[in-house]
PDB file of all heavy atoms in Angstrom:
ATOM      1  N   TRP R 214      12.104   0.323  -0.827  1.00  0.00           N
ATOM      2  CA  TRP R 214      11.854  -0.660  -1.934  1.00  0.00           C
ATOM      3  C   TRP R 214      13.186  -1.030  -2.539  1.00  0.00           C
ATOM      4  O   TRP R 214      13.996  -0.152  -2.841  1.00  0.00           O
ATOM      5  CB  TRP R 214      10.892   0.000  -2.977  1.00  0.00           C
ATOM      6  CG  TRP R 214       9.539   0.144  -2.460  1.00  0.00           C
ATOM      7  CD1 TRP R 214       9.049   1.174  -1.725  1.00  0.00           C
ATOM      8  CD2 TRP R 214       8.474  -0.803  -2.571  1.00  0.00           C
ATOM      9  NE1 TRP R 214       7.713   0.961  -1.427  1.00  0.00           N
ATOM     10  CE2 TRP R 214       7.332  -0.285  -1.880  1.00  0.00           C
ATOM     11  CE3 TRP R 214       8.354  -2.079  -3.165  1.00  0.00           C
ATOM     12  CZ2 TRP R 214       6.112  -0.975  -1.795  1.00  0.00           C
ATOM     13  CZ3 TRP R 214       7.102  -2.724  -3.095  1.00  0.00           C
ATOM     14  CH2 TRP R 214       6.048  -2.150  -2.434  1.00  0.00           C
ATOM     15  N   GLY R 302       8.896  -5.676  -5.180  1.00  0.00           N
ATOM     16  CA  GLY R 302       7.623  -5.812  -5.931  1.00  0.00           C
ATOM     17  C   GLY R 302       7.616  -7.080  -6.828  1.00  0.00           C
ATOM     18  O   GLY R 302       6.571  -7.447  -7.338  1.00  0.00           O
ATOM     19  N   ALA R 385       5.776  -7.402  -2.297  1.00  0.00           N
ATOM     20  CA  ALA R 385       4.896  -6.463  -1.615  1.00  0.00           C
ATOM     21  C   ALA R 385       4.218  -5.616  -2.675  1.00  0.00           C
ATOM     22  O   ALA R 385       4.644  -5.441  -3.809  1.00  0.00           O
ATOM     23  CB  ALA R 385       5.731  -5.567  -0.727  1.00  0.00           C
ATOM     24  N   VAL R 386       2.972  -5.106  -2.310  1.00  0.00           N
ATOM     25  CA  VAL R 386       2.215  -4.279  -3.218  1.00  0.00           C
ATOM     26  C   VAL R 386       1.787  -3.010  -2.484  1.00  0.00           C
ATOM     27  O   VAL R 386       1.617  -3.049  -1.276  1.00  0.00           O
ATOM     28  CB  VAL R 386       0.958  -5.005  -3.762  1.00  0.00           C
ATOM     29  CG1 VAL R 386       1.320  -6.254  -4.602  1.00  0.00           C
ATOM     30  CG2 VAL R 386       0.026  -5.449  -2.692  1.00  0.00           C
ATOM     31  N   ASN R 387       1.628  -1.972  -3.231  1.00  0.00           N
ATOM     32  CA  ASN R 387       0.991  -0.734  -2.728  1.00  0.00           C
ATOM     33  C   ASN R 387      -0.497  -0.818  -3.000  1.00  0.00           C
ATOM     34  O   ASN R 387      -0.885  -1.121  -4.148  1.00  0.00           O
ATOM     35  CB  ASN R 387       1.497   0.513  -3.474  1.00  0.00           C
ATOM     36  CG  ASN R 387       2.940   0.813  -3.254  1.00  0.00           C
ATOM     37  OD1 ASN R 387       3.399   0.892  -2.092  1.00  0.00           O
ATOM     38  ND2 ASN R 387       3.726   0.994  -4.321  1.00  0.00           N
ATOM     39  N   VAL R 404      -0.770  -3.441 -10.251  1.00  0.00           N
ATOM     40  CA  VAL R 404      -0.272  -3.615  -8.877  1.00  0.00           C
ATOM     41  C   VAL R 404       1.204  -4.099  -8.895  1.00  0.00           C
ATOM     42  O   VAL R 404       1.950  -3.690  -8.024  1.00  0.00           O
ATOM     43  CB  VAL R 404      -1.144  -4.640  -8.150  1.00  0.00           C
ATOM     44  CG1 VAL R 404      -0.494  -5.218  -6.984  1.00  0.00           C
ATOM     45  CG2 VAL R 404      -2.470  -4.003  -7.764  1.00  0.00           C
ATOM     46  N   PRO R 406       5.072  -4.751 -10.694  1.00  0.00           N
ATOM     47  CA  PRO R 406       5.903  -4.039 -11.653  1.00  0.00           C
ATOM     48  C   PRO R 406       5.689  -4.578 -13.083  1.00  0.00           C
ATOM     49  O   PRO R 406       5.419  -5.788 -13.303  1.00  0.00           O
ATOM     50  CB  PRO R 406       7.277  -4.378 -11.157  1.00  0.00           C
ATOM     51  CG  PRO R 406       7.172  -4.802  -9.758  1.00  0.00           C
ATOM     52  CD  PRO R 406       5.786  -5.404  -9.643  1.00  0.00           C
ATOM     53  N   PHE R 457       4.569   8.348 -11.274  1.00  0.00           N
ATOM     54  CA  PHE R 457       3.205   8.565 -10.831  1.00  0.00           C
ATOM     55  C   PHE R 457       2.277   8.828 -11.958  1.00  0.00           C
ATOM     56  O   PHE R 457       2.548   9.692 -12.824  1.00  0.00           O
ATOM     57  CB  PHE R 457       3.153   9.735  -9.786  1.00  0.00           C
ATOM     58  CG  PHE R 457       3.760   9.329  -8.499  1.00  0.00           C
ATOM     59  CD1 PHE R 457       5.017   9.828  -8.085  1.00  0.00           C
ATOM     60  CD2 PHE R 457       3.068   8.522  -7.588  1.00  0.00           C
ATOM     61  CE1 PHE R 457       5.534   9.475  -6.863  1.00  0.00           C
ATOM     62  CE2 PHE R 457       3.589   8.184  -6.359  1.00  0.00           C
ATOM     63  CZ  PHE R 457       4.816   8.649  -6.003  1.00  0.00           C
ATOM     64  N   TRP R 471       1.884   5.056  -8.209  1.00  0.00           N
ATOM     65  CA  TRP R 471       3.151   4.718  -8.782  1.00  0.00           C
ATOM     66  C   TRP R 471       3.044   3.547  -9.710  1.00  0.00           C
ATOM     67  O   TRP R 471       2.401   2.529  -9.365  1.00  0.00           O
ATOM     68  CB  TRP R 471       4.122   4.437  -7.675  1.00  0.00           C
ATOM     69  CG  TRP R 471       5.532   4.166  -8.113  1.00  0.00           C
ATOM     70  CD1 TRP R 471       6.093   2.971  -8.390  1.00  0.00           C
ATOM     71  CD2 TRP R 471       6.558   5.154  -8.350  1.00  0.00           C
ATOM     72  NE1 TRP R 471       7.398   3.115  -8.740  1.00  0.00           N
ATOM     73  CE2 TRP R 471       7.685   4.429  -8.709  1.00  0.00           C
ATOM     74  CE3 TRP R 471       6.621   6.527  -8.227  1.00  0.00           C
ATOM     75  CZ2 TRP R 471       8.935   5.067  -9.005  1.00  0.00           C
ATOM     76  CZ3 TRP R 471       7.813   7.144  -8.511  1.00  0.00           C
ATOM     77  CH2 TRP R 471       8.944   6.455  -8.899  1.00  0.00           C
ATOM     78  N   SER R 473       5.568   0.840 -11.407  1.00  0.00           N
ATOM     79  CA  SER R 473       6.968   0.448 -11.328  1.00  0.00           C
ATOM     80  C   SER R 473       7.332  -0.356 -12.564  1.00  0.00           C
ATOM     81  O   SER R 473       6.549  -1.156 -13.033  1.00  0.00           O
ATOM     82  CB  SER R 473       7.075  -0.365 -10.026  1.00  0.00           C
ATOM     83  OG  SER R 473       8.257  -1.043  -9.946  1.00  0.00           O
TER      84      SER R 473
HETATM   85  C1  NAG V  88       5.121   1.585  -4.113  1.00  0.00           C
HETATM   86  O1  NAG V  88       5.155   2.997  -4.086  1.00  0.00           O
HETATM   87  C2  NAG V  88       6.445   3.603  -3.913  1.00  0.00           C
HETATM   88  C3  NAG V  88       6.322   5.064  -3.962  1.00  0.00           C
HETATM   89  O2  NAG V  88       5.327   5.548  -3.163  1.00  0.00           O
HETATM   90  C4  NAG V  88       7.358   3.076  -5.024  1.00  0.00           C
HETATM   91  O3  NAG V  88       8.683   3.610  -4.789  1.00  0.00           O
HETATM   92  C5  NAG V  88       7.405   1.607  -5.102  1.00  0.00           C
HETATM   93  O4  NAG V  88       8.183   1.212  -6.175  1.00  0.00           O
HETATM   94  C6  NAG V  88       5.966   1.085  -5.282  1.00  0.00           C
HETATM   95  N1  NAG V  88       6.000  -0.365  -5.296  1.00  0.00           N
HETATM   96  C7  NAG V  88       5.463  -1.081  -6.254  1.00  0.00           C
HETATM   97  C8  NAG V  88       5.583  -2.526  -6.199  1.00  0.00           C
HETATM   98  O5  NAG V  88       4.931  -0.590  -7.215  1.00  0.00           O
END
Side-chain angles (χ1 to χ4, degrees):
W214 289 87
V386 298
N387 291 308
V404 159
F457 286 105
W471 183 267
S473 168

